[in-house]
Amino acid sequence: MKNARFLPILFLALSGCAPTRPNQPTATDESEYFVANTTESPGMSRLGQKRLLPDPHGGLGTTNDLTLRVTDIQLTKQYTVLFLTFGEDRQPSNYQSGGSSISFNSDARLLAGPDHEHLKTFRFVKAEGIVLSPESQTVQVGEQVKFRLYFERLDKGTEEFSLFECEDTKDQTCWNVRGMHISNPADSATAPNRR
């Protein structure tokens, strides 16, 4: 979430950079070891490869904040992990302020389902590299913050989902990302029978 007084100015600055995915985190327990992505469709990457942004075909979604990018999505045995980057590489010529205040709302959740009446939610578990609201951290112009968000693991068969942090207000912009995709096929035991 970012202080909204900087939002109009930051919308004017579109980044042409190609950030890379953050380094892989060190697993603190067995459930955090990442499962390699076996999808080899165009636009998708294998674990450990660099992904260029923007990535319109790789399932990384679209966000309401031009300074926020989802750079990777991974499934572990226990979590759905979103890798994100906040910040601009270059300073806009009309930028007068010293930076932005950011944090993440722990009430955030992942949403998946065919429509608003049948949404399944996956709770936020923890964050690495960013503070949680009501605390905040300042990001200076030209600085980038790379962080990871951990949510409950998506159910097998759930492959399309969105991040909902909160509702935007006049004072803050929430980080909501829609249209994310990851290969997560249903187990044959749970898949519906087809004749």
Side-chain angles (χ1 to χ4, degrees), residues 21-98:
R21 190 177 72 185
N23 292 332
Q24 291 296 325
T26 303
T28 57
D29 63 54
E30 185 177 291
S31 67
E32 293 188 19
Y33 285 98
F34 288 96
V35 178
N37 183 353
T38 58
T39 302
E40 296 192 24
S41 61
M44 297 298 285
S45 70
R46 287 178 170 252
L47 186 63
Q49 288 183 333
K50 201 159 70 166
R51 187 194 304 262
L52 298 179
L53 299 175
D55 183 16
H57 305 294
L60 298 178
T62 56
T63 178
N64 61 335
D65 186 338
L66 295 177
T67 57
L68 180 74
R69 304 252 189 214
V70 177
T71 58
D72 204 2
I73 304 165
Q74 297 289 333
L75 294 176
T76 72
K77 291 181 182 178
Q78 187 175 350
Y79 303 116
T80 302
V81 186
L82 304 182
F83 293 77
L84 299 103
T85 300
F86 172 86
E88 291 289 343
D89 273 343
R90 56 194 169 97
Q91 181 172 345
S93 59
N94 60 349
Y95 200 105
Q96 301 297 320
S97 181

Side-chain angles (χ1 to χ4, degrees), residues 7 64 164 166-176:
L7 183 62
N64 61 335
F164 178 77
C166 55
E167 294 285 346
D168 288 351
T169 69
K170 65 177 185 170
D171 296 323
Q172 69 184 18
T173 300
C174 297
W175 288 335
N176 299 319

Side-chain angles (χ1 to χ4, degrees), residues 2-189:
K2 174 179 69 158
N3 192 323
R5 66 181 179 193
F6 304 111
L7 183 62
I9 296 169
L10 290 175
F11 274 144
L12 296 174
L14 298 175
S15 177
C17 64
T20 60
R21 190 177 72 185
N23 292 332
Q24 291 296 325
T26 303
T28 57
D29 63 54
E30 185 177 291
S31 67
E32 293 188 19
Y33 285 98
F34 288 96
V35 178
N37 183 353
T38 58
T39 302
E40 296 192 24
S41 61
M44 297 298 285
S45 70
R46 287 178 170 252
L47 186 63
Q49 288 183 333
K50 201 159 70 166
R51 187 194 304 262
L52 298 179
L53 299 175
D55 183 16
H57 305 294
L60 298 178
T62 56
T63 178
N64 61 335
D65 186 338
L66 295 177
T67 57
L68 180 74
R69 304 252 189 214
V70 177
T71 58
D72 204 2
I73 304 165
Q74 297 289 333
L75 294 176
T76 72
K77 291 181 182 178
Q78 187 175 350
Y79 303 116
T80 302
V81 186
L82 304 182
F83 293 77
L84 299 103
T85 300
F86 172 86
E88 291 289 343
D89 273 343
R90 56 194 169 97
Q91 181 172 345
S93 59
N94 60 349
Y95 200 105
Q96 301 297 320
S97 181
S100 300
S101 294
I102 65 169
S103 63
F104 190 74
N105 186 337
S106 61
D107 291 331
R109 56 200 177 274
L110 299 181
L111 305 174
D115 55 55
H116 293 292
E117 294 180 13
H118 300 94
L119 285 178
K120 170 95 185 202
T121 62
F122 301 88
R123 290 181 301 114
F124 171 78
V125 177
K126 64 181 178 176
E128 294 177 350
I130 191 168
V131 298
L132 299 178
S133 301
E135 301 294 321
S136 66
Q137 64 192 80
T138 301
V139 181
Q140 299 299 326
V141 176
E143 179 183 2
Q144 288 193 335
V145 175
K146 295 182 180 187
F147 58 99
R148 291 179 294 277
L149 303 175
Y150 292 76
F151 293 86
E152 293 175 313
R153 193 189 192 286
L154 297 173
D155 294 339
K156 293 278 190 174
T158 300
E159 297 187 325
E160 303 284 337
F161 63 100
S162 298
L163 165 64
F164 178 77
E165 183 189 19
C166 55
E167 294 285 346
D168 288 351
T169 69
K170 65 177 185 170
D171 296 323
Q172 69 184 18
T173 300
C174 297
W175 288 335
N176 299 319
V177 183
R178 59 191 180 282
M180 289 182 282
H181 176 86
I182 191 162
S183 178
N184 184 29
D187 289 333
S188 57

